[in-house]
Amino acid sequence: VPVARLAGVTRERFLRDIYPRRKPVVLKGMELGTCTTKWTVDYLSQAEGSKEVKIHVSAVPQMDFLSKNFVYRTLPFDVFVRRAAEVKHKEYFVSEDEKYYLRSVGEDARKDVADIRKQFPILAEDVQIPEYFEKEQFFSSVFRISSAGLQLWTHYDVMDNFLIQVTGKKRVVLYSPRDAPYLYLSGTKSEVLDVDNPDLEKYPLFVKAKRYQCFLEAGDVLFIPALWFHNVISEEFGVALNVFWKHLPPESYDKSDTYGNKDPTAASRAIQILDRALKTLEELPEEYRDFYARRMVLRIQEKAYRDDYG
C-alpha cells in the first residue's frame, strides 16, 4: 500500500486532519532551511571538521541488531563523511565495500539524548525543523548519515517522529502496530530482516502483515507515528534528521530512555505482571495450563483489542 503524499501541509492542518489519524504520511515541499542545498560531502566534512564520531560498520548491506552483524568504530567526522559517500574504500575496517551508518547520540549516550543543536551546532544552523508539536513535547533530534545500499532492521519507536530526508533517497517499508503478531518480535525489533524476500519457512505468518511503502527524496518528511514498524533502505548516500516528540504525557515514559525505544512504564509493568501470571500457570498440568491460558487470551482480546483500525 503506498503511503499518502501531501504537499503544503500547514501545522494547523497537520494537527487537525493528519495527526489524529495515527497513520504515516509523506509531507512534501516543507520549509527545511538551507540544509537541502548546502549539505554536500565537501560542505559537511569541513563544517564540523575532525571531531570523533562513533559509527556502525557493516560488511553486508542488511544490518541486524539482533545478531549484531556490525562493529562499532570511531572516525573523525570529515573522514567518516567521505568514506560513507564512497562505494569502494582504499582504507577500511572490515572489507573494501563495507557500509557505514552514523546515528548521533548525546554526550553521554547512557544519560543524554541526541540533539543536533548540541552535537552538530554548525550544521544545526542550516536546518529549520518543522515544529508541528509543542516545545515541551520535544524529545530528540537525531542526525543520521548512511552509505548507499544500507538497510536498517525493522523496529518501532515509542514516540512520534518526523524522518526528514535532507539529501539522497530512501525507501521506507512500514507495518501497522496491529500487525505485531506477524512480525516475529524480539523486544522492539523484528527478526525478519529481508522484508522483500522473507524466509517463509522460518516466518510463515509474515505474509499476513500489511506492507506500506514510500520513497523519500531530498526535502521529503515522513511522519512515523509511535509504534509503527519501519524498515529503511538508503538507495543513495544520504543525510537525514529524525525529530522525536512525546505523544503521551511526560510521566508515561521511562526516565532512563535516551533512544526513544523503551516501552511506556505502564506497558512495561503490564508485561512483567503477565510474565508472573504465566509463571503461576506452570504450577498446573499441561491441559489445565492450556485451558486457562486460552481464557487469559480471550480476556485480553475483550478488554484491550481495538476493531476500528483501517
Side-chain angles (χ1 to χ4, degrees):
V1 180
V3 173
R5 306 174 72 83
L6 301 170
V9 174
T10 60
R11 184 182 201 262
E12 182 189 52
R13 185 181 163 206
F14 177 78
L15 291 173
R16 185 190 65 222
D17 301 336
I18 299 166
Y19 195 54
R21 294 184 62 222
R22 316 294 301 152
K23 291 256 184 93
V25 171
V26 178
L27 305 171
K28 298 195 67 70
M30 298 187 80
E31 186 46 66
L32 300 172
T34 55
C35 56
T36 47
T37 49
K38 265 170 102 169
W39 284 7
T40 60
V41 171
D42 285 342
Y43 174 77
L44 288 168
S45 47
Q46 59 88 24
E48 292 283 355
S50 59
K51 70 160 152 221
E52 303 239 296
V53 286
K54 191 176 179 186
I55 53 171
H56 302 66
V57 181
S58 176
V60 294
Q62 259 169 358
M63 284 172 63
D64 180 358
F65 194 82
L66 298 171
S67 75
K68 295 281 195 295
N69 66 347
F70 52 85
V71 292
Y72 292 105
R73 291 291 180 265
T74 304
L75 278 177
F77 183 71
D78 50 357
V79 175
F80 157 69
V81 170
R82 293 196 181 283
R83 279 214 214 167
E86 303 167 341
V87 178
K88 285 260 188 286
H89 313 292
K90 286 192 177 68
E91 292 181 46
Y92 50 85
F93 296 108
V94 191
S95 67
E96 63 172 8
D97 53 1
E98 65 194 14
K99 306 289 183 193
Y100 297 92
Y101 171 57
L102 166 72
R103 185 242 189 250
S104 67
V105 292
E107 284 69 27
D108 178 339
R110 288 187 306 278
K111 293 192 202 134
D112 305 318
V113 297
D115 186 342
I116 190 174
R117 293 167 297 191
K118 291 180 185 162
Q119 287 96 42
F120 298 92
I122 297 163
L123 294 177
E125 287 177 17
D126 301 336
V127 186
Q128 190 178 315
I129 290 172
E131 292 193 358
Y132 284 22
F133 48 86
E134 299 302 324
K135 282 228 179 326
E136 60 273 15
Q137 287 179 282
F138 172 82
F139 176 70
S140 65
S141 51
V142 180
F143 183 59
R144 299 180 193 269
I145 296 182
S146 307
S147 293
L150 185 88
Q151 183 169 12
L152 271 187
W153 54 87
T154 306
H155 67 285
Y156 70 88
D157 301 294
V158 299
M159 295 188 198
D160 291 339
N161 86 80
F162 278 150
L163 169 53
I164 302 165
Q165 191 62 28
V166 181
T167 70
K169 291 180 181 171
K170 279 201 175 94
R171 186 192 78 176
V172 186
V173 174
L174 303 111
Y175 300 95
S176 157
R178 157 167 235 192
D179 282 343
Y182 316 131
L183 297 179
Y184 297 87
L185 296 186
S186 175
T188 61
K189 298 157 188 75
S190 167
E191 290 177 21
V192 186
L193 277 190
D194 191 341
V195 293
D196 299 311
N197 299 290
D199 179 344
L200 294 178
E201 280 187 13
K202 200 172 177 188
Y203 308 116
L205 294 177
F206 186 70
V207 290
K208 293 187 171 188
K210 184 174 174 182
R211 172 187 173 122
Y212 294 77
Q213 182 169 290
C214 62
F215 292 90
L216 300 181
E217 308 213 346
D220 287 351
V221 177
L222 172 61
F223 168 52
I224 307 176
L227 311 183
W228 273 77
F229 296 87
H230 44 288
N231 178 290
V232 182
I233 297 169
S234 296
E235 302 211 317
E236 302 173 338
F237 164 77
V239 184
L241 184 67
N242 269 111
V243 182
F244 291 90
W245 71 92
K246 296 173 181 178
H247 171 228
L248 305 176
E251 62 276 10
S252 308
Y253 298 99
D254 186 323
K255 295 270 186 293
S256 68
D257 188 6
T258 56
Y259 286 88
N261 61 6
K262 287 192 178 176
D263 291 314
T265 49
S268 297
R269 282 203 313 275
I271 289 165
Q272 285 169 357
I273 293 164
L274 177 63
D275 286 342
R276 284 205 299 275
L278 293 170
K279 195 142 190 61
T280 309
L281 280 186
E282 286 173 18
E283 295 170 19
L284 292 166
E286 190 181 24
E287 80 183 277
Y288 286 79
R289 199 163 64 225
D290 177 280
F291 172 69
Y292 286 102
R294 287 170 195 272
R295 280 193 60 187
M296 283 165 70
V297 168
L298 288 171
R299 287 281 290 276
I300 291 171
Q301 281 183 323
E302 281 164 21
K303 292 275 183 200
Y305 272 32
R306 285 173 56 178
D307 55 10
D308 59 343
Y309 266 81

